[in-house]
Amino acid sequence: MILLALNPLVSPDPGLFIWSTVTFLILFFLLSKFAWKPIVKALDERERFIEDALSKAEMAKLEMAKLIGENEDLLKEARLERDSILKEAKGIKDQIVNDAKDLAKSEGAKLIEKAKIEITNQKLAAMAEIKNQVSSLSIEIAEKVLRKQLEDQGKQQALVNDLLKEVKLN
């Protein structure tokens, strides 16, 4: 039974076949006359647009590669310049530090020399002061001793005699 039901669907009807063919030919003619050229033209334009876009993308890619290369060159140049500036700055810094050390050493040596001279002068002044004080004290002591000894007439005569003996011996 299923075979009988499918059989009319499988067998072609000649009238349906003719009308389907005529309709297809009319549709094909109308499409080729009015729609085919605009569709082909639109496809050609789309193809050209895609080709242009691809060529522009390729050109942009090349330009980008060129810019990246230039950027790398500029970066290398900047690094070299930075290194040069840092090296120069380090040299200047070292020179300034060395000059400052030399200046500090010479100033320190001058201050030490000045301090030594000042110490020597103070020492000499102190020695002179001590000598003056010692001589003053010696004179006072000698004066007091002589006064004690010269109070007695006999002691005076003995001192004079002793002094005269010493003078003759020398």
Side-chain angles (χ1 to χ4, degrees):
M1 253 189 158
I2 294 178
L3 270 175
L4 292 175
L6 289 178
N7 198 9
L9 292 176
V10 177
S11 64
D13 185 20
L16 179 64
F17 178 73
I18 292 172
W19 282 110
S20 295
T21 306
V22 170
T23 306
F24 175 75
L25 290 175
I26 292 171
L27 183 63
F28 182 75
F29 174 74
L30 289 174
L31 284 176
S32 66
K33 184 79 171 164
F34 298 108
W36 192 260
K37 288 182 184 177
I39 290 173
V40 170
K41 183 178 177 185
L43 288 175
D44 287 342
E45 287 177 10
R46 178 74 176 150
E47 184 179 350
R48 272 187 266 120
F49 176 76
I50 291 172
E51 286 176 359
D52 288 345
L54 287 175
S55 66
K56 286 180 183 177
E58 186 65 31
M59 288 172 52
K61 183 179 175 184
L62 293 174
E63 185 68 25
M64 185 60 79
K66 179 182 169 189
L67 289 175
I68 288 172
E70 289 176 3
N71 191 19
E72 287 294 324
D73 291 342
L74 287 174
L75 191 59
K76 286 178 185 177
E77 186 178 317
R79 284 182 183 147
L80 290 174
E81 189 172 337
R82 178 202 63 196
D83 292 344
S84 171
I85 289 171
L86 287 175
K87 185 177 180 181
E88 184 178 336
K90 187 176 188 273
I92 291 171
K93 178 201 72 144
D94 291 343
Q95 182 64 36
I96 289 171
V97 168
N98 289 337
D99 290 347
K101 283 181 183 178
D102 292 343
L103 183 63
K105 284 180 184 178
S106 66
E107 289 295 321
K110 286 179 185 177
L111 287 175
I112 289 172
E113 189 61 34
K114 200 182 236 185
K116 284 181 181 178
I117 292 171
E118 185 66 28
I119 289 170
T120 303
N121 289 340
Q122 292 292 328
K123 184 177 172 184
L124 291 175
M127 292 296 280
E129 181 68 28
I130 289 174
K131 283 182 183 179
N132 286 337
Q133 287 180 0
V134 168
S135 64
S136 295
L137 285 174
S138 297
I139 290 174
E140 284 179 27
I141 291 172
E143 185 180 329
K144 287 181 183 179
V145 169
L146 284 177
R147 278 192 189 153
K148 283 253 186 207
Q149 285 187 351
L150 295 180
E151 286 178 354
D152 187 17
Q153 207 46 3
K155 286 184 180 178
Q156 275 184 356
Q157 192 61 36
L159 180 62
V160 170
N161 286 337
D162 286 340
L163 288 174
L164 287 175
K165 284 181 188 175
E166 284 181 16
V167 171
K168 289 180 184 177
L169 292 176
N170 287 335

